[in-house]
Structures are given as C-alpha cells and as structure tokens.
Amino acid sequence: MLAAHSTDPDYDKMIAFQSHAPGYWAAEAMEKWDDHKWQLKNRINSLNELEKHINLTQEERTGIILSGNKLAMSITPHFMNLVDKDDPNCPIRKQVIPRMEENLDDPQEMDDPCGEDSHMPVPGLVHRYPDRVLFLVTDRCASYCRYCTRSRVVSGVGEQQLETHWEAAFEYLENTPTIRDVLLSGGDPLLFSDAKLEKILSRLHAIPHIQFIRIGSRIPIFLPQRITDDLCNMLKKYHPLFISIHTNHPKELTTEVKAGLEKLADAGIMTGNQSVLLRGVNDDVPTQKALVHKLLMSRSRPYYLYQCDLIKGSSHLRTSVAKGIEIIEGLRGHTTGYAIPQYVIDGPGGGGKIPINPNYIKEITTEKVVLRNYEGKEFTYPEPQHYETKI
Ligand SMILES: *Cc1c(COP(=O)(O)O)cnc(C)c1O
C-alpha cells in the first residue's frame, strides 16, 4: 500500500502551515494581533458578536443561548479565524461553538466522567495514580472546548465551582514523598501571569521528591501569542518541564502555533499532544495522519489520543471505539513511530487511562507467538525453551 500522502489528494493542503490573520478582524490595527491581552479582551463570548462574523445554524443558535449557565462560549480571535464562515460541518466550529445537542439527556453521560471529585485528598488535587497528581489551578481557559471533560467546573458559569485549597495542596505535596510528578491543569494554567505561574512552579520545584513538572494547556493552540520569550525564559528555570498541548485537527497548526511550539522546544520544553477523537472533526485516518505529521514538523510529539469521555452533552461528538482502533491501525507501520499517539479510554467513573490497541497477536502459547504485521502478513516468534523469571 502507498503512503496516504501520495494517495490522498488533500494531503498537501492539509499539511500546509498557514496564517489566518487578520481574517474577521481586517478592520483592526494589526499590531494588536500579536498581543495576547488584546486577543483575550476581544474574545467572542456572545451570539451577537458571533453572528457578525459567521452564518449560524438554528442548532448552533439554540446551543449558544442555552450554554450560558453550563459551559460558557468563548473563542479567541486567533482561533475564530479558523472557523469556516458558511460550513456548519467545519471541524473547528464543532469544537468551540455550542450546539443544541449539548442539552440532550443521555443517562450514560456524567458530570464527572473521570471520577475526579472522589479522588481528591485536598480540594483541587486529584491523586489517582501512585506517583503523580493532577493539580487543578484554575477554572478558566482562553477558549472553551464543547466536549470539556471538566465542564462541571470549567468556565465558572455552572453550578459547581472549582475550589483549590492552595496551602493544603502544597502541604500535601510536600508531605507525600511518593509523588514524583505534578501535572498542572484546570482550566489553563498558562492564562496566569508569568509571575503567578512562577510562584507555583518555584514552590513545586523546591520539593526534593518532585522530579518532574507538567503543564496541560491549549493556549499554544488557542492563543499562541501568549508563548512569549519572557514566558519561555521563566519556564526554563524549572526543568525538567513538559507541556501537554491539545490540538485535534491539522488546520489548528497555523504558522503562529508552529512558531510558539518551536519557541517552547528551543527553551528545552518537550511538548506532547493530547487529542480527543471527535465525530466529524478528526475521525478518519487522513486527518489524523496530517495532524501527527504537522505536530512532528512543529517539534511536538503526539502523546495520547483520547476516546471522548462520557461527559454530559457530548453524544453528538463521540465516535465508536472501533473507529479509534481503525485509526491507530491506519497509522502504525504506515508512518513514523514517533507520530503515533497511544489511544486511551479514561475508564468511566474513575478507572484512569486504559490503553487500547489493535490486536496484532493471533495466537499465544508457551511455545510461540503468532503475530500479524501492519500489512496483515503472519509471523511467528518462538518462545525460549528455558526461561524462568526472577521472582
Ligand atoms: C491523565 C492523568 C494523569 C497523568 O497521566 P499520564 O499517563 O502520566 O500522562 C495524572 N493524574 C490524573 C488524575 C490524570 O487524569
């Protein structure tokens, strides 16, 4: 089989890095564009503002009106420019513009699909795995993803509020030597000022048993203007520091995003991408292949591909698990190993991340393992005749 990039007519278009500025803001002075504060101040937060730019469907209009007391709508001008004005199937639109279907009642869906609230030793600190914690430091993001797994608290308009007990959280981390890895998330920690973020990082960095700090952020995608030299110079004092980014579709990797990711890489910060498999957004092999290739070109490594959590109001965006397996099969062997994310399901109700893989083992006995490769050809690996594991 030929590689998809030579058989797919859209491949070259999909992997091109483009700038979409100023787009809908052609009347604004361009020097504002690179200022992340201007970007935040000029976010699209209402039906009125949105309708000035694009043609909405009735489903979207209803969704926007109903979103006000659940998960707010907010879209940075930078990201808004990726939204197609007329196409209701635009993969960018589906991620950030609310739809009526968000209000459908599905008894299988949950407010807290990953069971985080029941794994908090201190409010704001999720300790599910033995050696690492998730530290929820804010409930705000630059823009809001409609399938947000933490929509119960994120954006601040729902019934539940995020309550992070800062001092108790730091004390828990200082007093729990089994924790070697802290993941800052929320909300988006890169919304904080450099000074506020540095306060958190320096306190964590001073804890001897903490070997490794991560920040989960979609700001490199929603607001690449925030990735300033000052931010990078501050962050690199706290190595080893990784950033988990979140992008789902190749169009999101613009020239500005690529420049920001390169800046982070130049500061020695590894970025890994966490995608969510979404219906009509990225549920096909060519889109995923273009996405992972553009990530490598931007010096970012695909990390996880998540099956969409059973979050309330996400039924229209979820895919089958079979689709995810098909996508991984379409990548493994067909492209660079570094480009292939691990497909995972967060076990509904609090099981943590469970890896899902295509099955390449046809038969396994004490004598041999019968395998198939990515082309479907069969291979046999004979097991050693005398092998005892150390106990
Ligand atoms: C995802 C997650 C982590 C980090 O998991 P990794 O597999 O190490 O990336 C840690 N804690 C919680 C609660 C998580 O959901």
Side-chain angles (χ1 to χ4, degrees), residues 114-116 119 125-129 131-136 149-150 180-183 212 214 244 274 303-304 306 344 346 352-353:
C114 302
E116 293 178 336
H119 284 82
L125 208 55
V126 186
H127 192 179
R128 181 195 322 287
Y129 300 106
D131 69 338
R132 54 207 192 280
V133 292
L134 171 65
F135 193 177
L136 302 177
T149 193
R150 229 161 272 137
R180 40 163 292 285
D181 168 1
V182 177
L183 165 52
F212 178 69
R214 280 186 279 183
S244 293
Q274 313 196 100
Y303 181 42
Y304 283 135
Y306 288 94
V344 290
D346 227 305
K353 296 174 186 73

Side-chain angles (χ1 to χ4, degrees), residues 86 92 161 165 168 170 212 226 251 254 267 284 313 321 349 378:
D86 299 307
I92 308 299
Q161 295 293 313
H165 291 193
F170 282 121
F212 178 69
R226 174 72 185 92
K251 194 175 179 185
T254 66
D284 62 90
V321 175
E378 204 174 286

Side-chain angles (χ1 to χ4, degrees), residues 356-372:
I356 308 296
N357 294 301
N359 188 9
Y360 294 101
I361 298 178
K362 294 189 133 181
E363 184 193 333
I364 181 162
T365 67
T366 50
E367 281 94 48
K368 63 178 184 185
V369 184
V370 182
L371 305 155
R372 70 171 173 94

